[in-house]
């Protein structure tokens, strides 16, 4: 969970102007990651995050620390879809255009789509929803 949480922290800090630990906790909570203030402080220290002088937002420091990636955790955020030949790319475009909050993006081949979700629970929920559509 630590590697996943730290990866999410880096993604949030890189994308948003986070100026306080409380803002960061709220963003993590929105992703389904509950953490204490003490744990968050340790993560910020471990990741070498510093505050920018111009706006006080967190950013990666010099010689940034990358969290260890747990492949098992990373794989749980992905959903693989199989299509008929030549149908993966149009479907991936439709998925991307739908703007579903739980989906980060897609990668399409000829008959396979890799859907990357924001979290493992998001991927599980998407898989369940797609299975329900398939059996309806």
């Amino acid at each position: 969970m630590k590697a996943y949480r730290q990866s999410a922290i880096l993604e949030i800090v890189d994308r948003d102007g986070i100026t306080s630990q409380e803002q960061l906790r709220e963003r993590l909570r929105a992703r389904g990651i509950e953490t204490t203030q003490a744990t968050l402080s340790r993560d910020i220290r471990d990741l070498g995050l510093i505050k920018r002088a111009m706006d006080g937002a967190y950013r990666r420091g010099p010689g940034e620390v990358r969290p260890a990636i747990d492949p098992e955790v990373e794989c749980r955020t992905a959903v693989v879809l199989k299509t008929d030949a030549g149908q993966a790319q149009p479907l991936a475009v439709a998925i991307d255009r739908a703007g579903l909050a739980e989906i980060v993006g897609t990668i399409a081949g000829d008959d396979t789509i890799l859907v990357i979700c924001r979290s493992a629970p998001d991927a599980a929920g998407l898989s369940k929803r797609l299975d329900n559509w398939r059996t309806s």
Side-chain angles (χ1 to χ4, degrees):
M1 187 63 177
K2 179 179 179 179
Y4 177 73
R5 183 181 62 247
Q6 288 186 348
S7 178
I9 289 169
L10 289 175
E11 183 181 319
I12 291 167
V13 167
D14 287 347
R15 189 184 66 225
D16 303 325
I18 302 295
T19 58
S20 72
Q21 289 185 13
E22 190 55 36
Q23 280 182 323
L24 187 53
R25 280 183 70 202
E26 289 298 319
R27 298 285 168 78
L28 289 169
R29 187 175 295 125
R31 291 180 175 210
I33 302 171
E34 293 291 334
T35 187
T36 65
Q37 188 275 330
T39 298
L40 193 53
S41 290
R42 279 191 299 275
D43 287 340
I44 289 169
R45 184 191 65 232
D46 291 349
L47 293 169
L49 297 181
I50 59 175
K51 288 206 169 194
R52 294 189 299 232
M54 66 180 160
D55 61 0
Y58 285 105
R59 69 174 176 86
R60 296 176 193 231
E64 72 186 54
V65 176
R66 295 262 182 196
I69 296 175
D70 181 348
E72 185 177 334
V73 170
E74 293 296 315
C75 288
R76 284 188 246 152
T77 63
V79 176
V80 177
L81 305 177
K82 294 294 285 177
T83 68
D84 291 334
Q87 298 303 306
Q89 291 181 10
L91 180 56
V93 169
I95 292 169
D96 289 337
R97 287 183 180 163
L100 301 174
E102 66 264 34
I103 296 177
V104 175
T106 60
I107 301 171
D110 184 55
D111 65 353
T112 306
I113 304 169
L114 177 62
V115 181
I116 307 298
C117 295
R118 297 194 183 282
S119 67
D122 285 339
L126 179 64
S127 290
K128 186 174 182 175
R129 188 172 0 155
L130 293 172
D131 281 341
N132 289 337
W133 289 350
R134 186 173 51 93
T135 58
S136 304

